[in-house]
Amino acid sequence: MEIPTTGSVSLLFILLAVAVFGLVVGKFYIARKSIWERQKKGLPAKPVAPGHSFLFGHLLFFKKALDKLPPNAHYQNALGDIAREYFQHEGCYYIDMWPVSGVLFIVVSPHVANQIHANPNMSMQRPPLLPRFFQPIAGGPNMFDMREHEWRPWRAKFNKAFSAEHVLSLVPDMIDETLVYSETLQKHSKEDELFYLDLTTLRFTIDVIGKTILNAHLGAQRGYNALADCMLSQIRWHQANAETNPFEYFNLVRRAVHWWNGRQMDQYIDNELSKRLSESQADHEGKRQKAIIDLILQGYIAESQSSNPKSGFPVDKLDPSFRAFATSQIRLFVFAGHDSLSSTICYILHLLYTSPRALSRIRHEHDQVFGTDPSALASLLKAKPHLVNNLPYTTAVVKEALRLFPPGGCSRAGQPNVPLTSDSGKECPSANVAAVFTIHSEMQRSPVYWIRPDEFLPDRWLVKPEHELYPVKGAYRPFEIGPRNCVAQALAMTELKVVLACLVRRFDFSPAYEEFDSRNPSKLNRADGRTYRGERAYQIEEGAAHPADHYPCRVRIRKLV
């Protein structure tokens, strides 16, 4: 065998370096050219002065928008501010973020967003960036980033787990976990201490979703659980741009933490899969057949039997590739099912306890539907779970909180020959963009589409279509719209109503940001540095959008008359 000489090795490295350099320069040129061509056509993209530059694209322009926010505020706020200041009449714009993510097409208009979801070629397609974003959380391909042909049959299976009938059957389990949550809040009240509502609530919601996904009691509210604690740690270490920013690849500590957490979660889920596979053979009555883990196993069993009906099904063995697939789906559902739910609970309580009239009305509704004795609620709802569907004002409160503080946005892949028409009538090509990104937080507060957009007005969900507060069609989309909308929205709405029914008549919450800020003065970098548009509980990015500093607060047990 001929041994390469030093000169040939050097030449190989030179050729490799030239190839890498050419690839980088090529992507650089494509990104810049994409913006230049759109600018020449008068399409919504910030021009050279003061926005776009040859070397940095819109990165410095975006940094200026970020610098106006509190240091840890969600990056979507900056994208929304740019839309409001420069492109409000367009409802969309291009922004060149290469090499961090490439050119993005930002949407804040329901008119433009509706076009996305009316087009099958675009509404079904996830952007290439998404798998990298979800890799630390799910560990592999999952329902969020699957291609249509892979996604569609699994979506049909998972719909069973979130049917209205099945969701109501889960109410007793929700009640049990909420009673533990209530005990924790009582403890904080008796000790008269400042605590972080979001951190407490995260452990509660991960217990709730554990019952839905695994039909298992995780016990995260009372102690350590490998799946729960590793998922919570994974999210804390996750960064919005970490999976798209090439420089974050060298954050070895973060990568090590993600590896360790992923390993622990995979091992926990693997044990649950093996246990549930054995149990499923004895579950002749199908009592657990609609838990996510059961639906995944049913799909595998059916496929195995159809492909080889004579061999039967080996109950003690799962194909390794299927185990990996199932593990990713379960990790995804654990994340999606608890993270945004916790944030939404915090924001609902925040809005209610800073809005005395709304708080009084929701308590009155609960008295009317459940009776005036809150201590009897648990047994009543377990016996009659359908009562959660008789809460129109509570539902309006939940929807208004989701309007003001949506837990996330929506991304789709741009498509060749699929232009999107801006509010001003300009045709904006969606090809050659890294992602088409709909910013819910800006759309749902835009004065263009909402009357009194920053006010907490649950009545806007109860008025008739001719009323001025009645929502603009398509401007409200926290669960998104279209075939790839949130599969679990019925579950989330039921969970939120159950939690409110259990809490709002028993506790008085009060934000403790002033106390928190007095204890942490070093975080204040300017006079208004701790608020965004006047809101101290502004959203930060930590998985879903969460309240700043995890919502420091105090809680009191309410004295009932």
Side-chain angles (χ1 to χ4, degrees):
M1 183 178 67
E2 184 178 347
I3 299 175
T5 63
T6 303
S8 63
V9 171
S10 299
L11 178 61
L12 180 63
F13 275 108
I14 291 173
L15 292 174
L16 180 62
V18 170
V20 171
F21 178 77
L23 179 64
V24 171
V25 170
K27 290 187 174 182
F28 167 85
Y29 177 74
I30 290 171
R32 299 296 183 262
K33 182 182 178 183
S34 174
I35 291 294
W36 295 335
E37 289 178 346
R38 286 169 167 86
Q39 288 171 346
K40 289 179 181 177
K41 295 177 181 178
L43 299 181
K46 201 74 183 77
V48 175
H52 194 260
S53 74
F54 174 75
L55 287 178
F56 300 105
H58 283 122
L59 290 176
L60 297 181
F61 173 64
F62 184 61
K63 182 180 181 302
K64 289 180 180 179
L66 286 174
D67 289 343
K68 296 177 182 178
L69 306 177
N72 60 343
H74 203 298
Y75 68 93
Q76 289 190 33
N77 293 331
L79 293 173
D81 287 345
I82 291 171
R84 184 171 293 200
E85 183 173 356
Y86 299 102
F87 304 107
Q88 193 170 80
H89 67 291
E90 299 282 6
C92 56
Y93 65 94
Y94 298 95
I95 185 167
D96 180 4
M97 303 292 285
W98 193 90
V100 174
S101 63
V103 175
L104 302 176
F105 186 63
I106 307 300
V107 176
V108 297
S109 157
H111 166 72
V112 181
N114 289 340
Q115 295 173 58
I116 295 171
H117 297 285
N119 188 307
N121 292 329
M122 182 172 286
S123 65
M124 298 299 299
Q125 302 304 322
R126 299 294 198 175
L129 297 176
L130 209 60
R132 283 181 278 165
F133 179 87
F134 276 105
Q135 176 63 31
I137 292 170
N142 57 78
M143 286 289 290
F144 260 55
D145 55 42
M146 282 181 182
R147 294 184 180 276
E148 180 184 358
H149 70 280
E150 301 168 315
W151 167 88
R152 192 173 291 280
W154 282 104
R155 172 63 183 251
K157 290 182 175 69
F158 292 143
N159 282 339
K160 299 177 185 177
F162 303 108
S163 66
E165 179 185 1
H166 184 60
V167 166
L168 286 181
S169 75
L170 299 173
V171 168
D173 288 330
M174 297 177 196
I175 292 288
D176 288 339
E177 297 298 347
T178 306
L179 290 176
V180 179
Y181 182 47
S182 181
E183 289 176 13
T184 304
L185 296 174
Q186 290 178 55
K187 177 177 178 291
H188 287 304
S189 174
K190 291 176 181 178
E191 295 177 356
D192 191 27
E193 61 182 1
L194 181 150
F195 72 105
Y196 300 95
L197 181 62
D198 189 35
L199 298 180
T200 299
T201 308
L202 280 165
R203 302 194 75 84
F204 158 61
T205 55
I206 209 166
D207 270 351
V208 172
I209 203 62
K211 294 292 291 184
T212 305
I213 305 304
L214 301 171
N215 202 359
H217 177 61
L218 301 183
Q221 295 188 84
R222 298 193 185 277
Y224 177 83
N225 175 273
L227 176 61
D229 283 84
C230 288
M231 177 60 75
L232 293 171
S233 171
Q234 200 80 330
I235 294 168
R236 284 195 299 272
W237 280 85
H238 191 266
Q239 298 176 14
N241 72 334
E243 314 315 320
T244 58
N245 188 341
F247 302 109
E248 280 295 329
Y249 181 84
F250 300 101
N251 188 335
L252 299 182
V253 174
R254 186 178 65 83
R255 288 169 62 83
V257 171
H258 278 174
W259 174 83
W260 173 257
N261 287 336
R263 186 171 180 269
Q264 296 300 302
M265 289 189 288
D266 289 351
Q267 185 174 24
Y268 187 98
I269 294 169
D270 189 66
N271 291 337
E272 288 292 320
L273 283 166
S274 297
K275 181 173 69 174
R276 185 63 194 116
L277 180 62
S278 298
E279 292 175 352
S280 66
Q281 306 307 307
D283 186 20
H284 302 299
E285 297 179 6
K287 292 180 180 179
R288 300 174 60 180
Q289 64 182 356
K290 289 185 179 178
I292 293 297
I293 190 171
D294 298 309
L295 293 172
I296 292 173
L297 287 171
Q298 287 170 18
Y300 176 68
I301 293 170
E303 184 176 339
S304 299
Q305 292 177 340
S306 64
S307 61
N308 193 2
K310 294 183 179 181
S311 65
F313 178 69
V315 298
D316 60 343
K317 188 177 182 180
L318 289 174
D319 180 79
S321 62
F322 173 77
R323 280 188 179 272
F325 169 82
T327 299
S328 295
Q329 308 322 304
I330 292 170
R331 281 174 58 171
L332 172 75
F333 276 111
V334 169
F335 160 71
H338 91 279
D339 194 48
S340 58
L341 182 66
S342 173
S343 172
T344 302
I345 290 171
C346 293
Y347 277 119
I348 292 173
L349 294 175
H350 170 64
L351 291 166
L352 281 175
Y353 291 95
T354 53
S355 307
R357 181 174 175 272
L359 181 58
S360 177
R361 285 186 64 182
I362 197 173
R363 284 172 170 166
H364 176 72
E365 180 175 76
H366 293 176
D367 285 344
Q368 293 292 307
V369 175
F370 305 122
T372 57
D373 181 9
S375 64
L377 175 70
S379 58
L380 176 64
L381 264 183
K382 285 185 177 183
K384 300 179 179 180
H386 65 274
L387 290 177
V388 298
N389 294 327
N390 299 341
L391 301 169
Y393 189 74
T394 303
T395 302
V397 165
V398 171
K399 294 179 74 172
E400 184 69 347
L402 284 167
R403 180 186 73 83
L404 290 169
F405 296 102
C410 173
S411 60
R412 294 290 185 268
Q415 296 294 311
N417 304 316
V418 181
L420 299 170
T421 305
S422 73
D423 285 0
S424 70
K426 296 176 181 176
E427 281 200 355
C428 303
S430 67
N432 299 322
V433 298
V436 177
F437 195 7
T438 303
I439 309 296
H440 294 165
S441 55
E442 176 59 25
M443 183 189 299
Q444 295 181 178
R445 283 183 180 246
S446 172
V448 177
Y449 316 113
W450 299 89
I451 300 296
R452 298 158 67 184
D454 293 322
E455 294 184 44
F456 177 59
L457 298 171
D459 282 328
R460 73 173 80 243
W461 302 103
L462 302 172
V463 299
K464 295 181 179 180
E466 61 270 17
H467 196 285
E468 67 171 0
L469 289 177
Y470 193 79
V472 172
K473 184 179 180 180
Y476 174 78
R477 49 205 317 137
F479 298 110
E480 253 313 324
I481 297 171
R484 295 196 78 150
N485 64 352
C486 176
V487 68
Q489 56 185 293
L491 174 67
M493 291 297 292
T494 300
E495 288 170 334
L496 291 166
K497 288 186 283 187
V498 167
V499 170
L500 293 177
C502 292
L503 298 187
V504 296
R505 293 183 296 169
R506 299 197 59 165
F507 298 101
D508 283 319
F509 295 82
S510 57
Y513 278 108
E514 289 186 9
E515 183 179 352
F516 174 85
D517 291 343
S518 68
R519 295 181 184 183
N520 300 274
S522 61
K523 291 188 176 182
L524 188 63
N525 65 341
R526 56 186 181 275
D528 62 344
R530 287 185 173 180
T531 64
Y532 173 68
R533 296 184 184 175
E535 176 60 75
R536 179 61 182 86
Y538 56 84
Q539 292 179 302
I540 64 172
E541 197 279 335
E542 201 166 279
H546 286 260
D549 302 303
H550 296 290
Y551 203 80
C553 78
R554 290 183 178 273
V555 63
R556 299 284 184 270
I557 298 174
R558 182 170 174 247
K559 294 180 180 180
L560 300 177
V561 179

